[in-house]
């Protein structure tokens, strides 16, 4: 679950999400439950790129190479 801001303003709270990490461990997609966001994202995931992944206490889990 996550809270979502829109233009810097808290908009939706406690939204169920699905997080998927790409096969090469350097991309991420976050899919929100449309019912909780007034279908704002129209079923489309939010994509991103990352270079490291840490657990909740800060232990490094993954370090990736930047995309070409």
């Amino acid at each position: 679950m996550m809270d979502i801001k829109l233009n810097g303003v808290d908009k939706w709270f406690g939204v169920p999400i699905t997080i998927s990490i790409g096969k090469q461990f350097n991309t991420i997609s976050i899919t929100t439950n449309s019912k909780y966001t007034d279908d704002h994202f129209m079923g489309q995931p939010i994509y991103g790129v990352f270079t490291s992944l840490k657990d909740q206490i800060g232990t490094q889990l993954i370090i990736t190479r930047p995309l070409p």
Side-chain angles (χ1 to χ4, degrees):
M1 297 207 153
M2 81 176 179
D3 297 337
I4 301 174
K5 292 184 177 198
L6 181 63
N7 298 322
V9 178
D10 293 332
K11 180 76 174 177
W12 300 286
F13 301 92
V15 177
I17 61 167
T18 301
I19 298 174
S20 301
I21 297 175
K23 292 179 184 179
Q24 294 183 9
F25 299 107
N26 59 1
T27 58
I28 188 170
S29 69
I30 301 170
T31 304
T32 63
N33 184 314
S34 293
K35 179 173 111 177
Y36 291 81
T37 60
D38 305 321
D39 200 29
H40 177 77
F41 300 99
M42 297 184 286
Q44 298 297 309
I46 303 163
Y47 293 103
V49 176
F50 65 95
T51 56
S52 69
L53 181 65
K54 297 179 182 180
D55 68 11
Q56 63 269 30
I57 60 171
T59 304
Q60 191 76 34
L61 301 174
I62 297 172
I63 299 174
T64 67
R65 287 181 270 158
L67 292 172

